[in-house]
């Protein structure tokens, strides 16, 4: 059974880059599926951020395109999120997810990591 | 503001039936795209509850059921249990925006 676990700093300063990692166990990232990130700001709904295939195809939220990138390290079975020039509006719980592109459904989620943007 | 509209909360006593609505538009649910539902219990990772409008993944009790009609979908929980107290989110695809993936704002189910 696949398990996803987020890790990274819980605090980021305004204008800096937020970086999170997701360790995947129980399933090889190269076997298929897309992998990605979803976030939930305090008091708001879920927001899709980005998802990516291990061979490079990437889809991201147009509202974040200029600031967001994702990378996959197949040797570590891990993927990462980078969000540049963060503001308080980027404060959220960030979830790493496995995404079934055919059904457009997120079938596995991490527990989530709270990142607060504050000076 | 979320692309899909859900009530902020619903409540019911143990054993009762509750339903959660998810209202979209002609560019997402109304365009025929499937709806999926997720459950997030306090302190736990979100879990896929219903996929493709009506299907339950292995291990999900049949107390949970989904339906879809027109530009709306619903999640029903029958025989409500204390462990069902959680946040529930609907999700679909939007072909009219470049967002692709859209979510509802979430509904808190309160077991009285």
């Amino acid at each position: 059974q696949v398990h996803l676990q987020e890790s990274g700093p819980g605090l980021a300063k305004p204008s800096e880059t937020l970086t999170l990692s997701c360790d995947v166990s129980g399933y090889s990232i190269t076997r298929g599926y897309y992998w990605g990130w979803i976030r939930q700001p305090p008091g708001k709904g879920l927001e899709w951020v980005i998802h990516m295939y291990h061979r490079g195809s990437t889809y991201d939220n147009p509202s974040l395109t200029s600031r967001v990138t994702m990378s996959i390290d197949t040797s570590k079975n891990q993927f990462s999120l980078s969000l540049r020039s963060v503001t308080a509006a980027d404060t959220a719980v960030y979830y790493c997810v496995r995404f079934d592109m055919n059904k457009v459904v997120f079938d596995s989620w991490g527990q989530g990591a709270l990142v607060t943007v504050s000076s | 503001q979320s692309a899909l509209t859900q009530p902020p909360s619903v409540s019911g006593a143990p054993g009762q039936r509750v339903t959660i609505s998810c209202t979209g538009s002609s560019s997402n649910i109304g365009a025929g795209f499937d709806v999926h539902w997720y459950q997030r219990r306090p302190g736990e990772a979100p879990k896929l509850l219903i996929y493709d409008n009506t299907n339950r993944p292995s291990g999900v009790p049949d107390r949970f059921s989904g339906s879809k009609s027109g530009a709306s979908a619903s999640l029903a929980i029958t025989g409500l249990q204390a462990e069902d107290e959680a946040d529930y989110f609907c999700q679909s695809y939007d072909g009219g925006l470049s967002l692709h993936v859209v979510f509802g704002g979430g509904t808190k189910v309160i077991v009285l």
Side-chain angles (χ1 to χ4, degrees), chain A residues 1-109:
Chain A
Q1 184 175 351
V2 62
H3 180 76
L4 297 91
Q5 181 65 57
E6 305 88 352
S7 62
L11 183 65
K13 288 184 166 55
S15 80
E16 293 188 343
T17 297
L18 176 163
T19 302
L20 290 170
S21 295
C22 181
D23 289 316
V24 180
S25 57
Y27 191 89
S28 171
I29 282 181
T30 60
R31 275 186 62 189
Y33 289 94
Y34 278 67
W35 305 87
W37 297 88
I38 289 167
R39 70 180 185 178
Q40 184 174 26
K44 297 187 177 181
L46 294 171
E47 180 183 34
W48 165 65
V49 178
I50 189 170
H51 56 257
M52 180 179 183
Y53 192 63
H54 74 274
R55 294 189 176 179
S57 297
T58 304
Y59 299 84
D60 55 47
N61 188 321
S63 70
L64 300 171
T65 294
S66 62
R67 300 192 294 128
V68 68
T69 54
M70 182 176 160
S71 62
I72 293 179
D73 187 336
T74 57
S75 67
K76 295 182 179 179
N77 216 41
Q78 175 185 80
F79 57 94
S80 299
L81 170 74
S82 289
L83 184 63
R84 297 175 291 279
S85 304
V86 295
T87 69
D90 295 310
T91 293
V93 175
Y94 287 77
Y95 297 95
C96 60
V97 292
R98 187 174 78 172
F99 180 60
D100 184 331
M101 190 68 162
N102 292 322
K103 294 184 181 298
V104 194
V105 67
F106 301 95
D107 68 356
S108 296
W109 297 61

Side-chain angles (χ1 to χ4, degrees), chain A residues 40 48 62 95 103-104 106 111, chain B residues 36 38 40 43 91 98-99:
Chain A
Q40 184 174 26
W48 165 65
Y95 297 95
K103 294 184 181 298
V104 194
F106 301 95
Q111 193 147 359
Chain B
H36 317 292
Y38 304 90
R40 185 181 65 196
Q91 177 248 312
S98 50
L99 280 177

